[in-house]
Amino acid sequence: NLSSAQSLAAFGPSGDYLRFSGLLDLGVGRVINKSAAGVKATVSELHQAGSGGSVLDWVGRENLGGGMYTGFLLETSIQTDTGGIGSLPTGPYFNRTSAVYLGNNWGELALGQVRTPTYSNIVFHDPMFNNGYNGSMKLISPLGTRVNSLYQNINSINYFLPPGAGGGFYGHVQATFPEGQPNQKYFGWNFGYAKGPMDIGVARGTTETTPGNPDYVMTNVGGSYDFGILKLIGFYVNSKYGDASQNVYLAGVTFPIGVNQIKLSYSRGRYSGGALGGASANAAGVQVIHFLSKRVGIYGNFARVNNSGKAAFRLPTPQNTASTLGGSSTGFDAGLRLAF
Amino acid sequence: NLSSAQSLAAFGPSGDYLRFSGLLDLGVGRVINKSAAGVKATVSELHQAGSGGSVLDWVGRENLGGGMYTGFLLETSIQTDTGGIGSLPTGPYFNRTSAVYLGNNWGELALGQVRTPTYSNIVFHDPMFNNGYNGSMKLISPLGTRVNSLYQNINSINYFLPPGAGGGFYGHVQATFPEGQPNQKYFGWNFGYAKGPMDIGVARGTTETTPGNPDYVMTNVGGSYDFGILKLIGFYVNSKYGDASQNVYLAGVTFPIGVNQIKLSYSRGRYSGGALGGASANAAGVQVIHFLSKRVGIYGNFARVNNSGKAAFRLPTPQNTASTLGGSSTGFDAGLRLAF
Amino acid sequence: NLSSAQSLAAFGPSGDYLRFSGLLDLGVGRVINKSAAGVKATVSELHQAGSGGSVLDWVGRENLGGGMYTGFLLETSIQTDTGGIGSLPTGPYFNRTSAVYLGNNWGELALGQVRTPTYSNIVFHDPMFNNGYNGSMKLISPLGTRVNSLYQNINSINYFLPPGAGGGFYGHVQATFPEGQPNQKYFGWNFGYAKGPMDIGVARGTTETTPGNPDYVMTNVGGSYDFGILKLIGFYVNSKYGDASQNVYLAGVTFPIGVNQIKLSYSRGRYSGGALGGASANAAGVQVIHFLSKRVGIYGNFARVNNSGKAAFRLPTPQNTASTLGGSSTGFDAGLRLAF
């Protein structure tokens, strides 16, 4: 069950193990940013995570008897194009997950840095798993806040429902210790049902921002249905910060052709209230993966973002920082991804 | 023989191996600091290393024939609560040990970063192994210096007696290259005898401070005796820096109850001479570990520090920085520790 | 074939594997710098990589059928003397290699951070493999530029000839994406022939410097011939930056005596044109390795650099920064190296 894959039960097998694994992905890409006035800036780049992500994992598990087990998961992103790792030099080395787990048939507890339930419900209902130019998070705004909860939270306590609870339910509840820091106090959850071809989940998370300011609240719904010949997938995200709010929906389809996989996605976001009220943007893209083995593939992406009004979204590349205010961002790439 | 566990001979088995191992520990804690004037500050936190430590180890060994062997040990602390590792961003990645070893029946040479013999003699005679709120180093002061020798030294040359030398003697001599830096030139040693239920050791280390200032000198004695039904353990530490000195003693007891282990410790420190002369503090605490397997346990701590005069010791948490000058620091936690 | 060892095909065996390996090396050394005026500064140090290098490698490979394979190589340097890793805190964690590979009988493609072909042709024709006081790169100047191509390039695309192409040819072509940064756009190649006792290679690389300034261009030739009883080895390097240029040649010999290996090297460099025109330097040294096993050795080095005119080369130690302008730098060390 992908939607709860941040639990140890969902991550790996159930025996005793200690593993080093990872997913490396590098592509050659080109991104053209264009402002409303038509000023263009083009950057070519080598970039990681165009399709499959780019992470290293150290994970272990030990069964304790009586259905009880314990373990840990340490995950970091790796910038394979330049040799960087995690959020160094200023952020942590393990910037994705660093947690210890204790579970039994009643569910699983986790302490540490864990992906937020609100983000899990987005990433697993995005056909691109939020990787590369076509990743869906590029349209989702923190609404001017600096909340740490968009992706993962440090200093968190987590409870996960056991896999297949009640015949297909899944769930994750997370609370954090702010330890005196702003933008870090979070409470959120996701719950869903996944059985056979169907998966549907709902999530909500609230993050305290800075003293005297309102909370940042995200609510989202995601789902997929696999018809065999093709799979429909999508989500709807609402985020609020005081007067400002943003609604983003995504619709996608994925289907196989032989050893190839085709993924299409269309998303649209609109601000209401606040300084950006009325601004909107849409993103569309296609990804083709040609699998060379179960774990290895070559891929290509085409992706485009169109902004209206004061929106200034762009394809996720740190290299092309030229303005896209009321303009567009267009990119394409080709790369290699391998899991080990 | 725990007291020389920084030697490769004491760290692992004697065959050829290459291993990745570690000890992860996360707990939920709460610390209340109170100043002499009664001002209180309370912080709740997720914290690493409440009982078992939080480290990752890469270690290897190769036998060279004729009783000769070589190997390496790379050890770093991990802040599992936030994903940080070592002393990054400003300090080294491997902040505990990074050394190569060459040994035979006459002992072992080590080059690199290695724990100091003075610290070894403390940590192995502390019932809590200097972990968490009850760690014993919280009362031991560098006396205003910035010496690097309280825990481990970089750029060091080390000699270890072979395990079981002369029927139970152990020893470690360490000298460092300051390489032009202040606070880094150290010479120290520990020697001891451990056989059957008894272990007793003595250590002394001298660190050059900044030019024109006196050396920082630490002398300590530690010991334990295991009566089977319970184990007594303790140490005495004297440190000096010019006129200023500090004496700290600790007495502890540990005993099993079924699969649980109970640890009690009481320590007391007093300054003589210098700006803090006459100031004193005591610390007391209890830890209970419930073992779920040989390598996995859940635990709880209660710990308290009381300061008199100008002493301002506190429980070791970076989160609660409120003043404890002449006041107290109280904490409790519960957590999970697992070795792999 | 060592000269193309940055390809995955040359790095390891041809099966499926996932490995952690490394090479650790620590020595005790002493370096005396002397200026033209005779001012001397001596520093003793613990230093890594005196003979065998000091790196950690994570490497994996999977065969895809039909002669096709894929894999990755992540390599970082480790400062075992102090616990540092890579180029942290300011540079990347994996500062040597971070790349994904896709190859077949026609050759190998690599994306990411890879050693430059110009450097490969130097390092593999240096009897000391550019390690320690006797490393050959100490006489090779970037001619005042800040080009990143002296050792390895990030954001690169690479093609390697397959091992043994055409009965012994090897080759590597590399181009980089500058991604908007100066000193990063590089195009270079090496080609050579290695068969039986003979190896000869030529390389050339061009790096764009800062806007409005000329390119930095390096051309080099290297070779070796193994007579069995001894091996002759050497290279010639020419680098140019506008008016300034430098020529460096090296001649070396290595031979075994029982389980010992002796290495001698002499090199000489001279500037033409530019501010340093006419300045010259030579370096000479000897290294003796006594192998304790196939992978473990103890060693000693003696090395000396003599500068004439405005040359200010020195032995590669960060500790002794005293002036060697027109003077000399002399060093010796003894250490332990182990591969795992």
Side-chain angles (χ1 to χ4, degrees):
Chain A
N1 177 1
L2 278 176
S3 294
S4 59
Q6 288 297 298
S7 74
L8 192 66
F11 187 89
S14 59
D16 291 7
Y17 58 85
L18 173 61
R19 280 199 313 172
F20 171 55
S21 64
L23 218 152
L24 297 175
D25 177 340
L26 273 180
V28 175
R30 195 167 172 85
V31 172
I32 303 105
N33 283 357
K34 197 155 89 173
S35 70
V39 180
K40 274 170 61 168
T42 301
V43 172
S44 295
E45 60 167 4
L46 200 65
H47 72 146
Q48 87 272 15
S51 164
S54 205
V55 295
L56 300 177
D57 290 284
W58 287 262
V59 56
R61 176 180 160 133
E62 179 181 338
N63 286 322
L64 299 169
M68 189 176 275
Y69 62 90
T70 189
F72 68 93
L73 173 55
L74 303 171
E75 181 172 290
T76 180
S77 66
I78 168 169
Q79 297 94 55
T80 322
D81 47 350
T82 59
I85 203 164
S87 299
L88 296 175
T90 54
Y93 180 88
F94 294 111
N95 63 341
R96 297 292 183 86
T97 308
S98 63
V100 294
Y101 298 84
L102 185 65
N104 66 10
N105 298 329
W106 294 93
E108 195 175 90
L109 289 171
L111 297 176
Q113 177 183 226
V114 174
R115 182 184 282 174
T116 66
T118 26
Y119 179 55
S120 283
N121 206 43
I122 294 174
V123 72
F124 290 121
H125 297 114
D126 169 2
M128 316 294 186
F129 298 110
N130 192 36
N131 285 314
Y133 295 159
N134 276 311
S136 58
M137 287 295 286
K138 66 178 174 285
L139 286 199
I140 294 176
S141 166
L143 298 173
T145 69
R146 293 177 172 275
V147 295
N148 276 323
S149 57
L150 284 192
Y151 298 96
Q152 54 274 323
N153 273 316
I154 60 170
N155 292 315
S156 72
I157 305 192
N158 301 269
Y159 168 75
F160 294 95
L161 282 177
F169 290 96
Y170 59 85
H172 174 198
V173 182
Q174 183 180 73
T176 65
F177 291 98
E179 300 189 2
Q181 300 301 309
N183 296 308
Q184 299 241 56
K185 188 165 185 180
Y186 171 92
F187 177 77
W189 48 262
N190 72 39
F191 286 101
Y193 183 78
K195 192 158 192 180
M198 196 183 83
D199 177 6
I200 185 157
V202 57
R204 184 177 172 93
T206 301
T207 315
E208 282 189 12
T209 60
T210 44
N213 285 301
D215 292 348
Y216 174 85
V217 182
M218 181 190 278
T219 313
N220 64 55
V221 183
S224 65
Y225 199 95
D226 193 340
F227 293 94
I229 191 170
L230 62 79
K231 185 180 180 181
L232 295 180
I233 187 166
F235 65 68
Y236 166 79
V237 177
N238 171 268
S239 42
K240 283 194 181 179
Y241 175 61
D243 288 342
S245 79
Q246 192 203 23
N247 292 305
V248 179
Y249 69 84
L250 175 144
V253 56
T254 71
F255 54 95
I257 301 183
V259 296
N260 306 292
Q261 193 174 23
I262 319 293
K263 298 176 171 196
L264 300 163
S265 112
Y266 176 82
S267 59
R268 183 162 177 81
R270 185 177 176 86
Y271 290 103
S272 308
L276 295 174
S280 69
N282 61 62
V286 56
Q287 182 178 126
V288 179
I289 313 171
H290 176 72
F291 281 98
L292 300 171
S293 82
K294 196 182 156 189
R295 301 187 298 181
V296 180
I298 50 175
Y299 64 84
N301 281 283
F302 177 83
R304 183 169 172 97
V305 173
N306 287 305
N307 292 294
S308 298
K310 292 180 185 165
F313 294 99
R314 67 183 68 227
L315 298 189
T317 166
Q319 311 311 332
N320 195 337
T321 55
S323 173
T324 58
L325 185 67
S328 66
S329 187
T330 310
F332 46 92
D333 72 356
L336 170 68
R337 51 179 274 184
L338 58 100
F340 65 90
Chain B
N1 176 1
L2 277 177
S3 294
S4 59
Q6 288 297 295
S7 74
L8 192 66
F11 187 89
S14 60
D16 290 7
Y17 58 86
L18 174 60
R19 281 198 313 172
F20 170 56
S21 64
L23 217 153
L24 297 176
D25 177 339
L26 272 180
V28 175
R30 194 167 173 86
V31 172
I32 303 105
N33 283 356
K34 197 155 85 173
S35 70
V39 180
K40 272 170 62 167
T42 302
V43 171
S44 296
E45 60 167 4
L46 200 65
H47 72 146
Q48 87 273 14
S51 164
S54 207
V55 295
L56 301 178
D57 291 284
W58 287 263
V59 55
R61 177 181 159 131
E62 179 181 337
N63 285 323
L64 299 169
M68 188 175 278
Y69 61 91
T70 189
F72 68 94
L73 173 55
L74 302 172
E75 181 172 290
T76 179
S77 66
I78 168 169
Q79 298 95 54
T80 322
D81 47 348
T82 59
I85 203 164
S87 298
L88 297 175
T90 53
Y93 180 88
F94 294 110
N95 63 341
R96 297 293 183 87
T97 308
S98 63
V100 295
Y101 299 84
L102 184 65
N104 66 10
N105 299 331
W106 294 92
E108 196 175 90
L109 289 171
L111 297 176
Q113 178 183 224
V114 174
R115 183 184 283 173
T116 66
T118 27
Y119 179 54
S120 285
N121 206 43
I122 294 174
V123 72
F124 290 120
H125 298 114
D126 170 2
M128 317 293 185
F129 297 110
N130 192 35
N131 286 314
Y133 295 160
N134 276 312
S136 60
M137 287 294 286
K138 65 179 176 286
L139 285 200
I140 294 176
S141 165
L143 298 174
T145 69
R146 294 177 172 274
V147 295
N148 276 323
S149 56
L150 284 192
Y151 298 96
Q152 53 275 320
N153 273 317
I154 60 170
N155 292 315
S156 72
I157 304 192
N158 300 268
Y159 168 75
F160 294 95
L161 281 176
F169 290 96
Y170 59 85
H172 174 196
V173 182
Q174 183 180 72
T176 64
F177 291 99
E179 301 190 2
Q181 301 300 310
N183 296 308
Q184 299 241 57
K185 187 165 186 179
Y186 171 93
F187 176 77
W189 48 263
N190 71 40
F191 287 101
Y193 182 77
K195 192 159 193 179
M198 195 184 84
D199 176 7
I200 186 160
V202 57
R204 184 180 173 90
T206 302
T207 315
E208 284 188 11
T209 61
T210 45
N213 285 301
D215 291 347
Y216 174 86
V217 182
M218 181 190 279
T219 313
N220 63 56
V221 183
S224 65
Y225 199 94
D226 193 341
F227 293 94
I229 192 169
L230 61 79
K231 183 180 181 182
L232 295 180
I233 186 167
F235 64 70
Y236 167 80
V237 177
N238 171 269
S239 41
K240 284 194 180 177
Y241 174 62
D243 288 343
S245 78
Q246 192 202 22
N247 292 306
V248 179
Y249 70 83
L250 176 143
V253 57
T254 70
F255 54 94
I257 303 184
V259 297
N260 306 291
Q261 193 172 22
I262 319 292
K263 299 177 171 194
L264 300 162
S265 114
Y266 175 83
S267 59
R268 184 164 177 82
R270 186 178 175 85
Y271 291 102
S272 308
L276 296 174
S280 68
N282 62 62
V286 57
Q287 182 178 127
V288 180
I289 312 172
H290 175 72
F291 282 97
L292 300 171
S293 82
K294 196 180 156 192
R295 301 187 297 182
V296 181
I298 51 177
Y299 64 85
N301 281 284
F302 177 82
R304 183 170 173 98
V305 172
N306 288 305
N307 292 294
S308 297
K310 292 181 186 165
F313 294 99
R314 65 184 70 226
L315 299 189
T317 165
Q319 311 310 331
N320 195 338
T321 55
S323 172
T324 57
L325 185 68
S328 67
S329 186
T330 311
F332 47 92
D333 72 355
L336 170 67
R337 51 178 274 182
L338 59 100
F340 64 92
Chain C
N1 175 1
L2 276 178
S3 294
S4 59
Q6 287 297 296
S7 73
L8 192 66
F11 187 88
S14 60
D16 291 7
Y17 58 85
L18 174 59
R19 282 199 311 173
F20 171 56
S21 65
L23 217 153
L24 297 176
D25 176 339
L26 273 180
V28 175
R30 194 168 173 84
V31 172
I32 303 106
N33 284 356
K34 196 156 86 174
S35 70
V39 180
K40 271 171 64 167
T42 302
V43 172
S44 296
E45 59 168 5
L46 200 65
H47 72 146
Q48 86 273 12
S51 164
S54 206
V55 294
L56 301 178
D57 291 284
W58 287 262
V59 55
R61 177 180 159 133
E62 180 183 337
N63 285 323
L64 300 169
M68 188 175 277
Y69 61 91
T70 189
F72 68 94
L73 174 55
L74 303 171
E75 181 171 290
T76 179
S77 65
I78 168 168
Q79 297 95 54
T80 321
D81 47 349
T82 60
I85 203 165
S87 298
L88 296 176
T90 53
Y93 180 88
F94 293 111
N95 64 341
R96 296 293 183 87
T97 309
S98 64
V100 294
Y101 299 83
L102 184 65
N104 65 10
N105 298 332
W106 294 93
E108 195 176 90
L109 289 171
L111 297 177
Q113 180 183 223
V114 174
R115 183 184 282 174
T116 66
T118 26
Y119 180 54
S120 284
N121 205 44
I122 294 174
V123 73
F124 290 121
H125 298 113
D126 170 2
M128 316 295 185
F129 298 110
N130 191 36
N131 285 314
Y133 295 159
N134 276 312
S136 59
M137 286 295 285
K138 66 179 176 287
L139 285 200
I140 295 178
S141 165
L143 298 174
T145 69
R146 294 178 171 274
V147 296
N148 277 322
S149 55
L150 283 193
Y151 298 95
Q152 55 275 321
N153 273 316
I154 61 170
N155 292 315
S156 73
I157 304 191
N158 301 268
Y159 168 75
F160 294 94
L161 282 177
F169 290 96
Y170 60 83
H172 174 197
V173 183
Q174 183 180 72
T176 65
F177 291 99
E179 300 190 2
Q181 301 300 310
N183 297 309
Q184 299 241 54
K185 187 164 185 180
Y186 171 93
F187 177 77
W189 48 262
N190 72 39
F191 287 100
Y193 182 78
K195 194 159 192 179
M198 194 184 84
D199 176 7
I200 185 159
V202 56
R204 185 178 172 90
T206 302
T207 314
E208 284 189 12
T209 60
T210 44
N213 285 302
D215 292 347
Y216 174 86
V217 182
M218 180 189 280
T219 313
N220 63 56
V221 183
S224 65
Y225 198 95
D226 193 341
F227 293 94
I229 193 169
L230 62 79
K231 184 181 180 181
L232 295 180
I233 187 168
F235 64 69
Y236 167 79
V237 177
N238 170 269
S239 42
K240 284 195 182 178
Y241 174 61
D243 287 343
S245 78
Q246 191 202 22
N247 293 306
V248 180
Y249 69 84
L250 176 143
V253 58
T254 71
F255 54 94
I257 302 182
V259 298
N260 307 290
Q261 192 172 23
I262 319 293
K263 298 176 171 196
L264 300 163
S265 114
Y266 175 82
S267 59
R268 183 162 177 80
R270 186 177 176 83
Y271 291 103
S272 310
L276 296 173
S280 69
N282 61 61
V286 57
Q287 184 177 126
V288 179
I289 312 172
H290 176 72
F291 282 98
L292 300 171
S293 82
K294 195 180 155 191
R295 301 186 297 180
V296 180
I298 50 176
Y299 64 84
N301 282 283
F302 177 83
R304 182 169 173 96
V305 172
N306 288 305
N307 293 293
S308 298
K310 293 181 185 164
F313 294 99
R314 65 183 68 226
L315 298 189
T317 166
Q319 311 311 330
N320 195 337
T321 56
S323 174
T324 57
L325 185 66
S328 66
S329 187
T330 311
F332 47 92
D333 71 358
L336 170 67
R337 51 178 275 184
L338 59 101
F340 66 89

